[in-house]
Amino acid sequence: MSTATASTLSHGTATSLPPARKPRPVAEFLSTYVFSKDHKVIGLQFLFSTLLWFLIGGLLALAVRWQIAWPWSDVPVLGKLFAQQGGQMAPEFYTMLFTMHATVMIFLVIIPILAGAFGNFLIPLMIGADDMAFPTLNMLSYWFMWPAFLLFGASFFVEGGAASSGWTSYPPLSTNVNSAPGSGWGQTLWLLGLTMVGVSSMLGSVNYMTTIILMRAPGMTMFRLPMTIWAMFITAVLQAFALPVLTAAGFMQLTDRMIGTGFFTPEGNVVNNSLASTGGGQPLLWQHLFWFYSHPAVYIMILPAMGMVSDILTTFARKPLFGYRPMVYSIAGIAGLGFIVWGHHMFMSGMNPALGITFMVSTMMIALPSAVKTFNWLGTVWGGRIQFTTSMLFALSFVSMFIIGGLSGIFMAATPVDIFIHDTYFIVAHFHYVLFAGTAMGVWAAIYFWFPKMFGRTMNEFWGKVHFFLTFIFLNGTFFTMHILGAVGFPRRLADAYHYETFHHLQPLNAFMTYCAIGMVASQIIFAANFFWSMFFGPIAGRNPWNSNTLEWSAPSPPGHGNFDFQPVVYRGPYEYSVPGVEKGHLMQTDPPNALATAAAAAH
Amino acid sequence: MGSRLGGIFWSLIFLAVPVLGVATFAIAPSYNIWLPKNVSEHGSSIDGLFYFILALTGVVFIATEGLLFWFIWKYDAAKAKGPATYIHGSHTLEVVWTIIPAATLLFLAIYQMNTWADVKMRRPAMAPTVEVVARQFEWRLRYPGRDGMLGTRDDLFLTNDLHLPVDEDILIQLKSMDVLHSFFLPNFRIKQDAVPGMKIPVWFKAKETGQFDIVCAELCGWGHYKMKGRVTIESRADFDRWLEETYARQEATQPAPEDTVAAAAD
Amino acid sequence: MNASAISLPHGHDGHSHSHDDGHHDGHGHHGPVLQYQPGLPLSRGKLIMWLFLSTEIMFFAALLGSYVVLRFGAPVWPKPHHVHLSEPIGAFNTFVLICSSVTIVLALESARANKAGQAKLWMLLTLLLGTLFLGVKGYEYQAKFSHGIFPQSPRSRIYEKPDLYYGSAVRARLGDPVIIDKLKELDDTPADKLTAEQVSARARLQQIRKMVASPEQQAFDLAVVADQVMPLPTEGPGGSHAGDGGGHGGHASGLNDIFPWLKLPAVIPGGNMWASTYFLLTGFHAIHVLVGLIVFTILLGYKLGPKDAGKIENAGLYWHFVDLVWIFLFPLLYLF
Ligand code: HEA
Ligand code: HEA
Ligand code: CUA
Ligand SMILES: [Cu+2]
């Protein structure tokens, strides 16, 4: 594997070169920026689309928070647009809000921004390839997102509104058209949109795997890959094996709704005073199929961030990654174990409690590889020379926040405790810590870090730090308090819980959280301004503004078509920082060994 | 990049995480933002487990966040002298920090099993005290009446107003007519989804009398938020009296439902 | 922020003859043709095909898993004969598909041996066998449809048990104006224009109509009606239907078979869920067959010489997979 023969090397890139085109201005523009097959352009297309949806998802979250803090009070702006009763939210509108908030955030933001934007942009660059193995397929994987964007987007405007049975879409609520006002076209469009996201991810994942297996630069053995690539690789494996199950299940739910196959409807189901026309199915079957995908999916939503954070931490701690191989094995461990823990979402579902015990044990075990990762990050920071760039601050906060989100997972993994906290805000706290405070912070770290490679300019550090500071404060204000809210048993997905004696004193706390959420969303204006301003007016970055080691930093910023203006050859692992005896302190993967000798000689 | 002051500032921000985190948990009980009063027999072992995990994760939390702060503080490039330590890892450390959490988690996994079995697996051998049928958006209750059997002519029907005797084993038969619901009694540390097509037993023993909330904890449609019931725990004597009175009221206001109708609801 | 702290091992020289193919990229860089160190001795096309097939395995695994769960969770499940599945037809189709897997291999061999003409023939044969499979499948579907077995809302013509809902469905069907006319026509047909079987069936049908028309619906046994409409044959030779009063067990000609236009609702316990899963599994399989056929048609447009062997091989891999899925489906659906 490590020594490439001349014959294997020579079979080459000819297949992946885009066809020749005549340079006509409009066609040129279209082929460069719209129907581009260049992985970098596709990556940026994903980035811009997902950031836009991030904003939408954030605004939906604000509407959710508004209702929880001040139930049935007039909603500013949104209320005028949508709600029926003079600006006041209807309860079914609330169910739609959090369903679509989660759907947008998960399927249109986090998954595509990690795999689609960063996966696309970084994989060929970091392994020394000129593009993906199948550029056309790659382009299609972006264009399959558009039907999804349109279907989800359109569903807000159909009769009855968008899907409103939670992002988990549990039947019979989701399959029986009589069961909810929003259960008309909205739910059907939701299922179709999901299928499109599925096709997109599937096209992407097989392409990524092929590229990483076959198109690494000479000398780039598997164990010299940067953690980002390892994470993307294993994420692609997860997607390829878990997603088809959701696609199958989604289709079954679709036929249940459209033609009444009844897979998930029990016999004799009476909804809204009318007997369901079909039956004989099992509601729990959907939950099994859904979580068989969606548990691995939560790792799809964090592994790439973990990989990117590892690379950023080492760069700005100026230190080799602590325990490279354990880090790789733990990603693989998380992915492997991730397939056998799905039942921990179903402890209270009526599933056999004995089965619950086996899921509990496997869930406990999945904390182990995460523990290994956490300790190795700490080991990486230890003894480093930390440079407080915005990117580093976000990366450090990823570690800090992931610990919180992970530890709350232990409470829920403990089945008896889950009896009390299941479907309360404790869960909501847990997954916002891993998803928002974890992954989204990791994504920001990555944006600040690779922005120079994407646009050839660096983002403004001062405003970046202001953005970090405000986001960090407000996010903890919003989400940390959810833990204690959950400890009271405050249920999730309730439009108004204050009429319960147990919960009526919790409104002020919720109002506080909503203020923080407003602050959090408002802080993003700074980010958006910084982002767009820097794209055009930021200081020009050279090839390697952070003195980092991996291959992409030896290419021009931004890299041209074909990425490299030389043949990259890899001589070492990606984390050679603060190498003793090397004057510039770090050794890029492409620095030839004789550079080490000369540098060592120069040092004496 | 970054002055010395910057490093101090950012380290303190990261120190604030464990400090404020612990503080939040410490003061929450005094604002009554904490576990609601427990009145069931098994609830104390669930709470005990909660506190145990809180302590365990609390230690891990303070230790890891503390270390993170300390490293950020100490290894600020603007402050620390010389280059970073050139080290690629430590085999011993990897083994240690795999084995210790593994042992801890395995212990936790085994330690909690008994409680789980008590609440969900060791069903008391008795006839159901009451049948609870969830429906959009109410709790329909059916008591077996004098003959102690469900599905007979003297069944007692009620909605949302559950009465149960104190200090006795209670077995609820949980069903749903339409979609998923979840029978959540915060003060009893009881939660169980109601699944159409399934009969799921739920059991517990109340330690105290009083009135408590029944919450629906599984999204069941637009009215999910208002699917509220009340459970009244009373002495056996009070309970029997209430049963008699309610039964008499039912007899007076409506003819006894046919057996067939009752059976059809099964 | 020093940009130049990089040493370029090969600089701009070396391999930079590269892809000057007239394409003009936005940044004006023209890199060399890059060399790689492949981790597996496979072409890109073949590797991605294998990976794609592994996602397909998970897809069908989910469907098959659901089938198993639904089937063993169901209180009753119909025997293959209750739902008019014929093992010989299924076995024949299995055979057809296996043959087509052989012919595609032969096409590949011929292409590799530079016998393009032969390769075309084998490919055409594969296409024909695949089409034959779909044709047989279509015939089988037609048989199900004509017995009212299909998943549809509100209900197909299949009922779980002969209950009140069933009774009213029968009454509704018999009250349909179109059927009333047809029935009148049947009543008026002289007996010598009908076969013996039809005559006796007509008598039984008249009895049922009388029963259904009578106001006391409890007075007759809907189970008997169901049995007349579509008797459920028992397994094994010479066996007769349990609780069978009419003496016509064993052979499955109920009223619906004798008078196909009648389309009376029938009782098949577990039949609806059976239909849902049957059409789900075989439907997705058929879609995959169809995709294969489209691929073969496209391939027929190529020369099919050694240069196209890679394409044939990938198509063949896919086709073997589709074949394999059927090898699982056939026993699950037809034999158990
Ligand atoms: C990126 C997303 C992500 C990640 C990484 C995780 C990680 C984990 N999750 Fe989470 N989870 C979600 C996203 C995620 N989850 C979502 C979205 C839901 C809700 C879905 C819904 O219902 O809508 C959910 C729900 C959920 C449930 C269901 C709760 C319920 O509905 O009742 C459970 C139960 O076990 C659980 C457990 C865990 C565990 C044990 C981990 C572990 O992997 C965490 C491991 C990490 C650590 C433990 C921290 C670091 C380790 C150390 C510092 C070492 C020392 C530690 C010890 C010795 C304890 N999660
Ligand atoms: C990745 C996933 C993700 C993310 C990021 C978020 C982000 C947020 N969520 Fe999310 N949430 C979920 C996933 C997520 N959520 C899920 C899965 C559920 C469960 C749903 C269910 O029950 O079915 C849920 C439910 C949920 C609830 C519970 C509702 C209920 O149960 O009743 C609440 C309540 O407070 C909430 C609040 C928030 C808030 C305030 C944010 C904030 O963090 C949002 C902040 C947003 C921004 C900061 C926007 C930033 C914008 C940009 C960066 C764009 C910049 C633009 C350019 C450069 C062009 N969410
Ligand atoms: Cu019933 Cu929610
Ligand atoms: Cu999970």
Side-chain angles (χ1 to χ4, degrees):
Chain A
M1 223 203 235
S2 56
T3 49
T5 64
S7 67
T8 49
L9 285 177
S10 62
H11 114 276
T13 51
T15 49
S16 59
L17 292 177
R21 282 201 190 83
K22 290 201 186 74
R24 269 171 298 153
V26 177
E28 166 94 316
F29 176 83
L30 283 179
S31 70
T32 312
Y33 296 108
V34 184
F35 297 105
S36 173
K37 295 180 186 175
D38 186 321
H39 73 100
K40 298 181 293 297
V41 179
I42 297 172
L44 293 182
Q45 287 173 328
F46 265 111
L47 183 66
F48 285 114
S49 318
T50 48
L51 280 179
L52 191 67
W53 279 100
F54 201 1
L55 193 64
I56 296 173
L59 293 177
L60 287 169
L62 279 194
V64 166
R65 287 278 2 141
W66 186 274
Q67 167 73 10
I68 303 173
W70 304 286
W72 321 123
S73 63
D74 288 2
V75 191
V77 193
L78 251 189
K80 303 250 159 25
L81 273 176
F82 283 104
Q84 297 86 337
Q85 300 143 14
Q88 180 182 323
M89 202 180 276
E92 62 267 29
F93 187 75
Y94 179 77
T95 56
M96 185 201 87
L97 278 180
F98 66 73
T99 302
M100 291 313 286
H101 158 65
T103 304
V104 165
M105 286 299 196
I106 287 179
F107 296 113
L108 302 186
V109 178
I110 295 296
I111 293 181
I113 208 172
L114 291 173
F118 287 101
N120 252 310
F121 189 83
L122 294 177
I123 289 173
L125 276 170
M126 291 182 102
I127 64 174
D130 60 350
D131 205 324
M132 288 288 177
F134 293 91
T136 312
L137 223 54
N138 202 23
M139 177 186 76
L140 282 179
S141 102
Y142 175 67
W143 285 104
F144 265 103
M145 286 307 285
W146 272 93
F149 293 158
L150 295 177
L151 287 163
F152 285 131
S155 72
F156 283 100
F157 303 100
V158 296
E159 173 86 49
S164 50
S165 40
W167 82 284
T168 48
S169 192
Y170 281 180
L173 183 63
S174 54
T175 50
N176 195 310
V177 188
N178 292 323
S179 63
S183 196
W185 268 101
Q187 185 69 28
T188 305
L189 292 179
W190 187 89
L191 287 163
L192 291 171
L194 204 61
T195 311
M196 291 300 136
V197 176
V199 173
S200 160
S201 292
M202 197 272 287
L203 293 177
S205 65
V206 291
N207 206 354
Y208 293 179
M209 285 190 270
T210 309
T211 308
I212 296 174
I213 292 174
L214 295 182
M215 293 174 66
R216 281 169 286 124
M220 181 65 98
T221 59
M222 287 306 268
F223 282 102
R224 282 180 182 171
L225 287 175
M227 288 311 292
T228 302
I229 300 302
W230 264 113
M232 293 288 177
F233 183 66
I234 289 173
T235 304
V237 176
L238 278 179
Q239 288 207 337
F241 286 95
L243 205 94
V245 175
L246 184 70
T247 310
F251 191 85
M252 288 162 75
Q253 187 170 117
L254 201 61
T255 54
D256 266 14
R257 290 180 59 81
M258 311 271 284
I259 58 174
T261 42
F263 295 117
F264 307 124
T265 312
E267 194 62 45
N269 198 216
V270 181
V271 175
N272 223 342
N273 290 326
S274 61
L275 181 70
S277 52
T278 44
Q282 298 181 22
L284 291 193
L285 175 61
W286 164 265
Q287 300 188 20
H288 282 292
L289 293 171
F290 180 84
W291 290 116
F292 185 87
Y293 163 73
S294 287
H295 183 81
V298 306
Y299 295 114
I300 291 173
M301 292 184 267
I302 204 162
L303 290 182
M306 288 178 161
M308 296 190 295
V309 161
S310 305
D311 284 355
I312 294 166
L313 281 182
T314 48
T315 300
F316 294 118
R318 309 308 302 163
K319 227 192 126 220
L321 185 68
F322 202 89
Y324 175 84
R325 281 191 184 236
M327 286 297 246
V328 172
Y329 297 144
S330 56
I331 296 190
I334 290 176
L337 285 169
F339 277 107
I340 54 166
V341 302
W342 77 87
H344 65 213
H345 297 274
M346 298 172 62
F347 288 146
M348 303 306 127
S349 68
M351 176 181 75
N352 185 338
L355 204 55
I357 290 193
T358 63
F359 281 121
M360 177 271 291
V361 175
S362 58
T363 305
M364 289 284 173
M365 288 305 110
I366 208 169
L368 276 185
S370 308
V372 171
K373 293 204 80 77
T374 309
F375 294 137
N376 278 306
W377 284 320
L378 289 177
T380 304
V381 180
W382 164 79
R385 290 295 175 267
I386 298 164
Q387 302 172 351
F388 291 97
T389 58
T390 308
S391 178
M392 182 61 164
L393 289 172
F394 274 110
L396 287 170
S397 79
F398 172 92
V399 178
S400 170
M401 300 288 100
F402 172 72
I403 292 173
I404 300 180
L407 291 176
S408 61
I410 304 296
F411 286 79
M412 295 137 47
T415 42
V417 178
D418 194 54
I419 296 174
F420 181 62
I421 59 179
H422 171 68
D423 270 338
T424 67
Y425 264 71
F426 203 88
I427 313 295
V428 181
H430 161 70
F431 64 71
H432 284 96
Y433 262 95
V434 277
L435 282 170
F436 185 79
T439 304
M441 297 301 255
V443 164
W444 272 310
I447 291 179
Y448 282 96
F449 189 65
W450 277 291
F451 191 90
K453 194 51 61 185
M454 293 172 168
F455 303 106
R457 292 168 187 271
T458 36
M459 286 179 77
N460 183 295
E461 276 292 319
F462 174 78
W463 287 109
K465 282 175 181 155
V466 174
H467 169 223
F468 165 76
F469 177 75
L470 293 176
T471 309
F472 191 71
I473 300 293
F474 284 132
L475 104 83
N476 281 294
T478 310
F479 295 126
F480 199 84
T481 30
M482 285 186 182
H483 291 108
I484 53 173
L485 204 56
V488 193
F490 196 80
R492 59 192 281 206
R493 295 174 166 180
L494 249 56
D496 173 8
Y498 307 119
H499 57 95
Y500 287 104
E501 190 194 359
T502 321
F503 311 123
H504 74 248
H505 63 292
L506 296 171
Q507 191 274 337
L509 183 62
N510 270 307
F512 166 76
M513 291 154 67
T514 299
Y515 286 127
C516 289
I518 295 172
M520 176 161 50
V521 174
S523 317
Q524 306 314 317
I525 297 171
I526 299 174
F527 168 70
N530 190 353
F531 187 93
F532 289 115
W533 191 86
S534 305
M535 253 174 83
F536 300 104
F537 309 110
I540 303 273
R543 289 189 184 223
N544 192 1
W546 315 118
N547 293 320
S548 193
N549 282 349
T550 40
L551 286 185
E552 79 275 26
W553 300 110
S554 56
S557 301
H561 192 80
N563 292 345
F564 292 93
D565 45 11
F566 64 98
Q567 166 68 50
V569 176
V570 172
Y571 298 100
R572 60 183 66 76
Y575 300 117
E576 296 304 302
Y577 293 103
S578 303
V579 190
V582 176
E583 197 181 17
K584 67 175 178 173
H586 67 111
L587 283 172
M588 297 189 69
Q589 293 192 279
T590 45
D591 287 346
N594 59 352
L596 181 69
T598 14
H604 285 292
Chain B
M1 191 167 290
S3 69
R4 206 175 147 161
L5 221 58
I8 291 173
F9 177 71
W10 295 120
S11 333
L12 291 179
I13 291 289
F14 282 93
L15 179 63
V17 172
V19 171
L20 293 180
V22 171
T24 307
F25 273 84
I27 61 168
S30 54
Y31 286 90
N32 197 17
I33 307 177
W34 199 239
L35 301 175
K37 180 175 158 202
N38 166 50
V39 293
S40 76
E41 207 179 56
H42 71 267
S44 44
S45 56
I46 290 185
D47 289 0
L49 209 53
F50 179 89
Y51 284 116
F52 178 74
I53 298 176
L54 186 62
L56 181 80
T57 53
V59 170
V60 175
F61 174 61
I62 294 170
T64 47
E65 300 282 359
L67 277 178
L68 187 66
F69 152 72
W70 179 239
F71 293 162
I72 298 174
W73 172 273
K74 183 148 179 238
Y75 300 112
D76 179 358
K79 185 161 58 174
K81 289 188 186 65
T85 322
Y86 183 68
I87 182 174
H88 286 86
S90 151
H91 192 71
T92 328
L93 271 180
E94 300 290 347
V95 173
V96 169
W97 66 41
T98 311
I99 301 239
I100 293 180
T104 317
L105 289 166
L106 216 56
F107 166 76
L108 188 59
I110 295 165
Y111 175 68
Q112 63 177 346
M113 280 183 195
N114 202 30
T115 311
W116 175 250
D118 273 344
V119 188
K120 295 276 177 182
M121 290 165 84
R122 297 187 188 126
R123 168 190 182 164
M126 60 188 283
T129 321
V130 56
E131 181 186 75
V132 175
V133 183
R135 178 182 187 276
Q136 281 181 335
F137 299 100
E138 63 194 20
W139 302 98
R140 295 204 165 173
L141 316 169
R142 181 157 70 143
Y143 286 88
R146 284 194 198 86
D147 61 358
M149 283 192 348
L150 284 170
T152 50
R153 203 170 280 270
D154 69 343
D155 283 357
L156 178 60
F157 291 86
L158 284 157
T159 40
N160 292 339
D161 185 20
L162 183 63
H163 284 242
L164 292 170
V166 71
D167 288 331
E168 282 179 35
D169 275 333
I170 289 156
L171 180 67
I172 292 174
Q173 177 170 307
L174 184 62
K175 299 201 298 193
S176 167
M177 272 174 75
D178 40 34
V179 299
L180 298 176
H181 303 268
S182 193
F183 183 66
F184 179 25
L185 304 177
N187 300 86
F188 297 79
R189 312 295 187 258
I190 280 290
K191 189 178 285 131
Q192 175 60 58
D193 285 8
V195 185
M198 287 172 83
K199 274 186 211 169
I200 304 175
V202 175
W203 58 91
F204 58 91
K205 196 188 243 181
K207 290 193 303 189
E208 271 175 51
T209 58
Q211 274 218 334
F212 309 96
D213 282 323
I214 305 176
V215 183
C216 178
E218 184 66 84
L219 179 63
C220 52
W222 69 270
H224 169 54
Y225 76 99
K226 57 167 197 179
M227 187 161 160
K228 171 179 164 181
R230 293 290 277 173
V231 52
T232 309
I233 306 290
E234 49 203 0
S235 67
R236 185 77 218 185
D238 286 349
F239 176 69
D240 284 340
R241 193 171 330 117
W242 170 82
L243 213 58
E244 277 306 316
E245 278 169 15
T246 322
Y247 188 69
R249 210 175 313 131
Q250 171 171 308
E251 289 288 87
T253 52
Q254 65 201 69
E258 293 284 327
D259 281 4
T260 47
V261 176
D266 273 275
Chain C
M1 305 277 173
N2 58 334
S4 54
I6 319 155
S7 52
L8 303 178
H10 296 296
H12 281 250
D13 53 302
H15 316 277
S16 50
H17 48 86
S18 88
H19 44 247
D20 207 0
D21 51 13
H23 178 82
H24 182 261
D25 66 60
H27 309 289
H29 293 289
H30 291 270
V33 174
L34 298 184
Q35 305 193 331
Y36 303 121
Q37 169 186 344
L40 290 171
L42 289 175
S43 73
R44 289 179 194 172
K46 205 155 157 189
L47 179 57
I48 205 167
M49 194 68 209
W50 276 110
L51 291 171
F52 168 69
L53 290 184
S54 52
T55 71
E56 289 277 69
I57 289 175
M58 288 309 287
F59 181 78
F60 277 101
L63 296 181
L64 282 169
S66 305
Y67 171 76
V68 170
V69 167
L70 287 168
R71 174 168 178 172
F72 292 100
V76 275
W77 198 254
K79 295 263 186 293
H81 290 191
H82 297 172
V83 284
H84 307 275
L85 271 181
S86 150
E87 289 100 333
I89 297 185
F92 172 72
N93 239 356
T94 312
F95 178 70
V96 167
L97 217 49
I98 292 177
C99 285
S100 74
S101 259
V102 176
T103 54
I104 186 93
V105 172
L106 292 173
L108 178 60
E109 291 299 310
S110 310
R112 280 201 177 133
N114 202 4
K115 294 180 192 148
Q118 251 179 42
K120 265 216 167 124
L121 272 181
W122 287 123
M123 182 62 76
L124 193 66
L125 194 57
T126 315
L127 181 66
L128 288 178
L129 286 170
T131 316
L132 177 61
F133 175 89
L134 275 191
V136 172
K137 197 82 242 159
Y139 168 78
E140 286 187 287
Y141 274 18
Q142 193 48 48
K144 307 285 168 301
F145 294 155
S146 69
H147 283 100
I149 304 177
F150 44 82
Q152 196 212 37
S153 215
R155 266 190 202 262
S156 61
R157 297 205 310 277
I158 303 304
Y159 282 74
E160 293 297 314
K161 42 184 187 252
D163 55 6
L164 294 176
Y165 293 108
Y166 176 66
S168 55
V170 172
R171 194 171 310 121
R173 180 67 189 163
L174 289 174
D176 187 325
V178 185
I179 295 298
I180 291 179
D181 288 347
K182 285 262 197 186
L183 285 173
K184 206 170 281 160
E185 208 176 293
L186 178 67
D187 289 341
D188 296 343
T189 316
D192 53 321
K193 287 240 173 97
L194 298 169
T195 63
E197 202 186 23
Q198 281 174 327
V199 174
S200 100
R202 181 170 69 177
R204 279 179 279 140
L205 181 59
Q206 279 161 348
Q207 224 174 327
I208 289 179
R209 284 156 63 197
K210 210 176 292 160
M211 282 202 287
V212 170
S214 94
E216 296 132 64
Q217 33 176 274
Q218 275 97 340
F220 63 95
D221 190 352
L222 283 167
V224 175
V225 176
D227 200 47
Q228 298 280 2
V229 172
M230 191 194 277
L232 298 181
T234 46
E235 301 295 292
S240 83
H241 185 53
D244 169 359
H248 50 78
H251 58 93
S253 24
L255 297 176
N256 271 350
D257 293 300
I258 298 164
F259 307 115
W261 45 266
L262 199 54
K263 292 195 161 85
L264 279 175
V267 170
I268 306 177
N272 276 309
M273 192 38 68
W274 180 87
S276 297
T277 52
Y278 173 81
F279 284 104
L280 180 76
L281 290 169
T282 58
F284 267 115
H285 180 260
I287 291 174
H288 279 77
V289 172
L290 194 67
V291 170
L293 298 185
I294 294 172
V295 171
F296 295 150
T297 316
I298 294 173
L299 280 181
L300 278 174
Y302 284 85
K303 185 171 163 284
L304 298 191
K307 267 177 81 181
D308 301 319
K311 292 190 196 74
I312 304 180
E313 191 177 5
N314 275 341
L317 277 178
Y318 173 79
W319 194 246
H320 292 328
F321 168 78
V322 173
D323 195 0
L324 190 73
V325 170
W326 181 256
I327 302 281
F328 275 96
L329 291 189
F330 173 61
L332 271 178
L333 292 173
Y334 288 75
L335 303 183
F336 296 121

